Amino acid sequence: MPAATNKLALFSAAFALLAASSSGALAQKKYDTGATDTEIKIGNIMPYSGPASAYGVIGKTEEAYFKKINAAGGINGRKINFISYDDAYSPPKTVEQARKLVESDEVLFIFNSLGTPPNSAIQKYMNSKKVPQLFVATGATKWNDPKDFRGPWAGSPTTRANRRSMRNTSSNRSPTPRSRCSIRTTTTARII
């Protein structure tokens, strides 16, 4: 029990230190590139054309959501400047668009860019520029490697996690004969 108390005390002290240091940062109004008192720049790369253009609707939906947030006053009074570019699901084009977002548009982070090949193409560049890739839309497990790549945070469950979830769902059948699980695809289940 004393070890748990010591850990709790250490955690509380660390949290108090963090809270005290962050309040000073707010008073100084120092922000990273892409954030000001009035604006937050968020970058996005989507395949609005090319073989995966059906997924472009995700980028349009995100844009509409950020417009809704801005219409309601933004985030703590800051408007979101959502800048989204087409990469046609082509990794070389993704690199070009990422450079444009980071170097010209000076975004705070890149949000929910689609696909393993495009995100893989920009991963080292984004880490070298210290611009986070938040919620990469990919099912690959490679994004869970904080030792080598600190920036990308996966937003989708991995394909492996989806399969594990489906296995667990299909093996935990209800004892009632009317309820059974039928696997329709690798990512969806239907109760019939």
Side-chain angles (χ1 to χ4, degrees), residues 22-189:
S22 66
S23 64
L26 290 174
Q28 295 172 5
K29 294 194 178 191
K30 278 186 139 181
Y31 304 115
D32 288 337
T33 301
T36 67
D37 285 335
T38 59
E39 179 183 62
I40 300 169
K41 288 185 183 179
I42 299 174
N44 176 261
I45 304 169
M46 276 286 155
Y48 295 111
S49 62
S53 61
Y55 292 103
V57 72
I58 296 169
K60 295 295 183 187
T61 304
E62 292 165 349
E63 181 179 18
Y65 183 73
F66 290 131
K67 283 182 180 178
K68 178 182 181 251
I69 290 173
N70 286 340
I75 298 174
N76 293 329
R78 296 179 188 174
K79 299 294 182 177
I80 297 171
N81 184 357
F82 185 68
I83 305 165
S84 186
Y85 292 128
D86 181 17
D87 70 348
Y89 206 75
S90 168
K93 185 74 171 171
T94 307
V95 171
E96 178 185 324
Q97 301 297 33
R99 287 181 188 273
K100 185 175 177 183
L101 285 166
V102 171
E103 296 169 13
S104 298
D105 298 319
E106 297 183 329
V107 297
L108 180 61
F109 57 86
I110 290 186
F111 174 75
N112 202 36
S113 50
L114 181 80
T116 300
N119 279 296
S120 296
I122 64 172
Q123 184 179 18
K124 287 183 182 177
Y125 170 76
M126 298 302 290
N127 278 291
S128 72
K129 293 295 186 177
K130 296 183 173 30
V131 176
Q133 288 173 268
L134 297 182
F135 305 112
V136 293
T138 170
T141 57
K142 71 181 281 178
W143 307 110
N144 189 19
D145 185 11
K147 180 182 172 197
D148 294 324
F149 298 105
R150 301 184 59 91
W153 292 8
S156 306
T158 63
T159 305
R160 182 181 299 160
N162 276 337
R163 272 183 287 184
R164 189 177 323 118
S165 173
M166 295 309 298
R167 247 191 335 265
N168 292 341
T169 302
S170 64
S171 66
N172 294 329
R173 295 187 181 182
S174 173
T176 27
R178 290 181 168 214
S179 175
R180 66 183 190 276
C181 183
S182 168
I183 304 299
R184 303 296 265 177
T185 68
T186 58
T187 59
T188 59

